[in-house]
Amino acid sequence: MTIQTVDPRALRDAFGAFPTGVTVVTACDGDGNPIGFTANSFTSVSLNPPLLLVCLAKTSRNFAIMTGAQHFAINVLSETQKDVSNTFARPVEDRFAAVEWARGSAGCPIFSSVAAWFECAMEEVIEAGDHVILMGRIEAFDNSGRNGLGYARGGYFTPTLASKAVSAASEGNMELAAVVERRGEVLLLGEDVLSLPSVDAHDGSPTEALQKYLETSTGLKVSIGFLYSVYEGKSDGKQHIVYHAVAGDGEPVVGRFLKPDALVAAKFKTSSTADIVNRFAMESSIGNFGVYFGDETGGTVHPIPAKDAKA
């Protein structure tokens, strides 16, 4: 897409198509008080010398302290730490009261139960438009073996749980479906009775099969995102796997895009479809997605237990 004037919101949404991990960057102010903020603009840079970087907005309330700090730490959050990410992404007065932490050798806050952490000396602060790049030279680190928390298109996802869900469901008669989203609206089929687009699964990759079906049936470009629900259908004897997906522009050949929060009185093909659409309306409003496990009458939305986050 070639444009003369960049729409910041549209550009941010496009950047959000790239799945990342989630970190909390920490340091100390001049009085030794801990500060921290959530960031997914983190990457490794070099093994020799050991360097990493993270980007910081110039509008951040931590800007002056972070750019003047001699050391900082990167805490790579594990799959069980969505609440930590949310706490450090908001202007909470005492963020550190909500997390277990200790000081590293350079004094930076290091969190418990993270996937990995890195304590760094500030190597360089690089100007980069409305952000700066904090380049850190790694002085200490640890890798717990836990899997990291994922983030894409405004929502969290848990890679290990997704893998286990597909593996378990693939052992039975399987139906694939998708919550196909576009600018907050969801693609639903039917007039009086609504349903999600779905197809029976066969051999091969579930995501590839689902994407092919969606693009062929709707005539739209579709990108498959994170796993959203896995449940056993008692009435049809099938294992159901539902993914989140994002559709490109254009009118769909079948179905129509509707706002999920305006469908309170709508009739759905199954109660599980109604539950999925209602849950999506709630979770998308806060940008915090879980994965449902169960059957069509009852189950749980994971936050997964800490032991399941082990590699």
Side-chain angles (χ1 to χ4, degrees), residues 12-255:
R12 183 176 181 178
D13 290 344
F15 282 149
F18 181 66
T20 69
V22 185
T23 73
V24 173
V25 184
T26 58
C28 293
D29 64 16
D31 296 323
N33 300 312
I35 65 165
F37 61 94
T38 299
N40 64 346
S41 54
F42 156 75
T43 188
S44 60
V45 174
S46 170
L47 296 176
N48 187 21
L51 299 173
L52 57 73
L53 66 79
V54 66
C55 297
L56 173 69
K58 292 181 177 178
T59 55
S60 169
R61 68 175 186 172
N62 298 306
F63 182 81
I65 296 172
M66 286 301 308
T67 54
Q70 294 185 356
H71 292 85
F72 67 92
I74 304 290
N75 294 274
V76 180
L77 299 186
S78 67
E79 288 183 317
T80 61
Q81 294 183 307
K82 288 191 293 185
D83 56 336
V84 177
S85 173
N86 289 332
T87 296
F88 281 82
R90 298 167 182 160
V92 179
E93 194 61 34
D94 187 4
R95 301 173 175 183
F96 286 87
V99 64
E100 184 179 341
W101 62 280
R103 294 187 185 273
S105 58
C108 299
I110 305 297
F111 294 173
S112 298
S113 302
V114 292
W117 59 263
F118 307 88
E119 192 172 35
C120 306
M122 186 73 76
E123 181 80 359
E124 190 175 358
V125 177
I126 304 167
E127 286 289 326
D130 56 10
H131 282 60
V132 292
I133 299 169
L134 307 179
M135 185 81 73
R137 180 181 287 261
I138 301 165
E139 295 185 336
F141 70 95
D142 187 43
N143 176 15
S144 72
R146 296 179 174 88
N147 287 291
L149 178 64
Y151 194 79
R153 294 198 182 278
Y156 299 110
F157 65 94
T158 52
T160 300
L161 183 60
S163 175
K164 289 181 179 179
V166 174
S167 176
S170 63
E171 297 176 1
N173 183 18
M174 188 165 52
E175 181 182 89
L176 304 172
V179 179
V180 182
E181 178 192 6
R182 186 171 68 191
R183 291 186 284 276
E185 297 185 335
V186 173
L187 178 67
L188 293 166
L189 309 183
E191 293 296 331
D192 298 328
V193 179
L194 303 177
S195 63
L196 296 172
S198 62
V199 63
D200 286 340
H202 302 288
D203 294 338
S205 166
T207 55
E208 290 178 4
L210 183 59
Q211 181 172 11
K212 181 178 180 180
Y213 160 72
L214 291 173
E215 293 188 340
T216 301
S217 62
T218 67
L220 302 175
K221 181 67 176 176
V222 177
S223 173
I224 304 296
F226 50 85
L227 186 70
Y228 195 63
S229 286
V230 177
Y231 65 94
E232 179 185 358
K234 292 184 176 180
S235 58
D236 60 14
K238 294 181 179 179
Q239 293 285 344
H240 295 260
I241 299 182
V242 183
Y243 284 88
H244 172 270
V246 177
D249 292 333
E251 286 298 317
V253 175
V254 296

